[in-house]
Amino acid sequence: MNNELFLKTVFCCMACDGEIANEELALVKSVATNQAVFEGLDISSKLSEYVEDIQRDGNEFLTSFLKELSAAQLSEHAELQIVKLAIDTIEADNNIEYSEISFFKRIRAKLQISDEAILAELPEKEDYLLPDINETDGQDWTMSFENISLNLP
């Protein structure tokens, strides 16, 4: 169950800026190859499903993910994994946009893990934990998701 939530976290962080960069897809492949994070999942099939869903209604897809994340019973280790995956995905294309940071802060708000526990593992990522504008889950994203695609090699 957590494996799919991990993949959906990565997908949402890839797509929240309205496009999916090749570097972000390379990260998914690298994580799938080098870690057991997505074990048991047909990654290509799931990503294709997510693309269809986000193209149909991007705001609903992202809001639904945040609700799913909030309802999940996750260990501190699993929550830390979500934080790491989200940050790695946001940084993968070396083009960090405000929409990505904003979405990360929404993810962070759904997790129980303390800032101290995150910083113990990721001390150089303190900027991600700084306060920001207060956003609600119901707020619409301003970008279009209709053109999101997987440019798989």
Side-chain angles (χ1 to χ4, degrees):
M1 173 66 184
N2 284 352
N3 293 359
E4 187 168 350
L5 190 58
F6 293 152
L7 183 61
K8 196 176 279 187
T9 299
V10 169
F11 177 79
C12 288
C13 289
M14 288 192 302
C16 72
D17 63 354
E19 65 182 4
I20 296 176
N22 290 332
E23 297 89 347
E24 294 166 336
L25 291 172
L27 173 73
V28 171
K29 184 176 181 180
S30 174
V31 170
T33 302
N34 300 316
Q35 301 175 34
V37 175
F38 307 136
E39 191 172 39
L41 295 177
D42 180 344
I43 296 169
S44 294
S45 174
K46 281 291 177 191
L47 290 177
S48 294
E49 175 187 323
Y50 298 158
V51 166
E52 288 177 24
D53 291 345
I54 204 166
Q55 287 175 336
R56 190 171 25 262
D57 189 344
N59 289 319
E60 175 56 32
F61 183 83
L62 295 175
T63 299
S64 175
F65 162 72
L66 292 170
K67 288 178 183 173
E68 182 181 347
L69 184 60
S70 184
Q73 299 294 315
L74 300 170
S75 67
E76 183 173 296
H77 177 74
E79 289 191 352
L80 184 59
Q81 186 67 51
I82 285 173
V83 169
K84 286 179 180 178
L85 288 168
I87 291 173
D88 287 348
T89 304
I90 290 166
E91 294 180 347
D93 65 355
N94 294 311
N95 182 24
I96 300 172
E97 297 188 26
Y98 179 75
S99 59
E100 295 169 314
I101 298 298
S102 174
F103 190 70
F104 174 82
K105 290 179 184 296
R106 292 178 188 204
I107 290 172
R108 173 68 188 99
K110 303 298 178 193
L111 302 175
Q112 301 300 313
I113 190 170
S114 69
D115 287 352
E116 292 77 18
I118 293 171
L119 291 173
E121 288 289 320
L122 304 167
E124 70 285 0
K125 304 300 180 187
E126 185 175 17
D127 288 352
Y128 283 88
L129 304 178
L130 295 175
D132 200 356
I133 61 172
N134 187 16
E135 297 184 12
T136 64
D137 289 342
Q139 184 174 346
D140 287 343
W141 281 262
T142 56
M143 75 281 309
S144 169
F145 299 103
E146 290 86 22
N147 296 321
I148 286 185
S149 65
L150 299 174
N151 298 320
L152 298 174

